[in-house]
Amino acid sequence: MVDVVSILKENSQVVIDSIDENLSIIVPEELSDASKYLTKAGGKMLRPSLTLITSEAVGGNKSSTVQTAAAIELIHTFSLIHDDIMDKDDMRRGKPSVHKVWGEPLAILAGDTLFSKAFEMIITSKGENLNFEQINKTLATVADSCVKICEGQASDMSFEGDFTVKEDAYLDMIFKKTGALIATATKSGAIMGGADEEVINAMYDYGKLIGLAFQIQDDYLDVVSDEESLGKPIGSDIAEGKMTLMVVKALDKADDDDSERLIEILKNTNSTQDKVDEAINIFKKYGTIQYAHDVAQLNVNKAKEILKILPDSEAKTSLSLIADFVLNRKS
């Protein structure tokens, strides 16, 4: 696990430097500070690291891919700022959210700035053997992921209070909201690294699978981890009435009494810990906690299988380790 954290840190520093260079020129200074705020607040830097590592794994040059990797992190950060405003979340990465520090109007502008800068950084990418076709395909890939993120967020909002959501619809939502940008990170790395179409598509599938596993693992950790590791109370998703794979599966399998009780708990967004524990016991009764873990594991296994298309290299090994990290992390 430590090795993967080191890999992410090693790859992320050049991305952080690129982001700082590009955002420091923004005026007024207040907008620049608001735009940079979350990029300096920590985070795993998983997506940009995947872009750089994938580029290297297909035989490309990391230096040609840095701006794209940084752009993908800016898209991710933009989505977090706007999500926090929509969800009225006051904290992000252990710090007050951007809109709590600067107010909603400037936070919206900061998100818009990051979104715009991301595309500018891809367009201005430079590097040996880099051509217009690669940049154009990367732009199209990133733009498509932005649409999917919006679709996923809209679906997530529409699921609130809807306890008839089925597994396929839920998985489609989390792919769009979370997995699409991770898939874009690996696909963009393959494009900028000069891979052929077969490998580009394979790396998109790899990213999609670990993206799905990442979100399902988040849901899983919410009920099996501890408050210190998570940085929030256990079962907070239940207390907030959120739909997760465990909820969807439990409602599909439970008898009428248990189903009605689970819905009652989820509808009460101020549930006590006793009620949260009751919901977790319903999950356990129908095996949906283990089911979620098994689905995540299956996705990780499939992702690692896809990596066989790549030649052996340190970068390929890193991609395999990252797939395991997505499932084995504690927060």
Side-chain angles (χ1 to χ4, degrees):
M1 196 64 62
V2 175
D3 287 341
V4 173
V5 173
S6 299
I7 289 167
L8 296 178
K9 284 184 178 179
E10 178 186 338
N11 282 279
S12 64
Q13 188 54 55
V14 67
V15 173
I16 293 168
D17 292 343
S18 179
I19 288 172
D20 190 58
E21 179 183 344
N22 279 272
L23 297 185
S24 293
I25 61 175
I26 293 169
V27 291
E29 186 176 353
E30 189 178 33
L31 178 59
S32 176
D33 290 342
S35 300
K36 288 190 287 185
Y37 179 70
L38 275 187
T39 65
K40 293 187 171 184
K44 299 177 181 67
M45 286 280 182
L46 175 67
R47 293 157 188 82
S49 295
L50 281 169
T51 304
L52 293 177
I53 295 167
T54 303
S55 175
E56 188 174 37
V58 302
N61 189 328
K62 281 186 181 180
S63 62
S64 302
T65 315
V66 169
Q67 297 246 119
T68 295
I72 287 169
E73 183 64 15
L74 293 190
I75 294 291
H76 176 54
T77 308
F78 138 77
S79 72
L80 297 181
I81 293 173
H82 284 198
D83 278 359
D84 287 344
I85 294 169
M86 287 184 280
D87 296 340
K88 297 179 170 50
D89 286 338
D90 293 344
M91 300 293 291
R92 171 69 66 177
R93 294 174 178 167
K95 294 186 177 183
S97 302
V98 175
H99 69 273
K100 292 302 293 183
V101 179
W102 284 277
E104 286 190 11
L106 193 67
I108 292 169
L109 287 174
D112 292 346
T113 299
L114 294 174
F115 183 84
S116 304
K117 268 289 178 184
F119 287 95
E120 178 188 272
M121 290 179 74
I122 296 170
I123 290 168
T124 57
S125 294
K126 293 181 176 63
E128 189 178 347
N129 299 322
L130 202 58
N131 58 52
F132 173 77
E133 183 181 0
Q134 287 168 281
I135 292 173
N136 192 43
K137 286 173 72 172
T138 299
L139 284 169
T141 301
V142 173
D144 178 68
S145 73
C146 292
V147 174
K148 283 186 169 61
I149 290 169
C150 294
E151 290 175 342
Q153 178 69 7
S155 293
D156 193 20
M157 291 164 59
S158 73
F159 288 172
E160 292 177 11
D162 180 1
F163 300 106
T164 65
V165 174
K166 299 303 180 186
E167 184 173 338
D168 286 350
Y170 177 75
L171 292 175
D172 182 63
M173 181 275 288
I174 64 170
F175 161 62
K176 288 178 175 178
K177 188 174 178 181
T178 302
L181 192 58
I182 294 177
T184 289
T186 51
K187 180 177 180 178
S188 296
I191 294 169
M192 297 298 271
D196 63 32
E197 204 65 31
E198 182 184 12
V199 172
I200 289 169
N201 292 334
M203 295 316 299
Y204 183 83
D205 290 341
Y206 161 86
K208 177 179 180 177
L209 288 163
I210 66 169
L212 286 167
F214 187 94
Q215 183 58 56
I216 294 168
Q217 180 70 0
D218 267 2
D219 298 346
Y220 174 78
L221 289 173
D222 185 66
V223 299
V224 303
S225 190
D226 58 84
E227 187 168 340
E228 184 178 352
S229 297
L230 280 182
K232 60 179 182 178
I234 297 303
S236 61
D237 287 348
I238 297 167
E240 294 170 15
K242 290 184 177 179
M243 295 298 284
T244 66
L245 183 57
M246 287 170 286
V247 171
V248 171
K249 195 66 177 177
L251 290 174
D252 183 55
K253 295 179 69 176
D255 62 32
D256 290 345
D257 288 343
D258 286 336
S259 182
E260 288 173 13
R261 184 57 183 146
L262 181 55
I263 290 171
E264 184 182 341
I265 293 168
L266 293 167
K267 281 183 175 179
N268 180 6
T269 53
N270 293 307
S271 290
T272 63
Q273 191 60 48
D274 285 346
K275 297 294 187 292
V276 168
D277 291 341
E278 188 179 346
I280 292 173
N281 284 333
I282 292 173
F283 295 161
K284 289 177 178 177
K285 179 178 179 179
Y286 293 98
T288 66
I289 296 174
Q290 185 62 45
Y291 178 77
H293 183 270
D294 290 346
V295 171
Q297 181 69 69
L298 180 62
N299 285 337
V300 166
N301 292 346
K302 287 179 178 177
K304 292 171 70 175
E305 189 71 19
I306 285 171
L307 294 177
K308 290 181 178 179
I309 198 171
L310 300 174
D312 289 341
S313 67
E314 186 176 332
K316 176 183 175 179
T317 301
S318 294
L319 291 175
S320 182
L321 290 171
I322 289 171
D324 287 330
F325 170 79
V326 163
L327 196 63
N328 296 328
R329 64 196 169 91
K330 301 302 179 185
S331 64

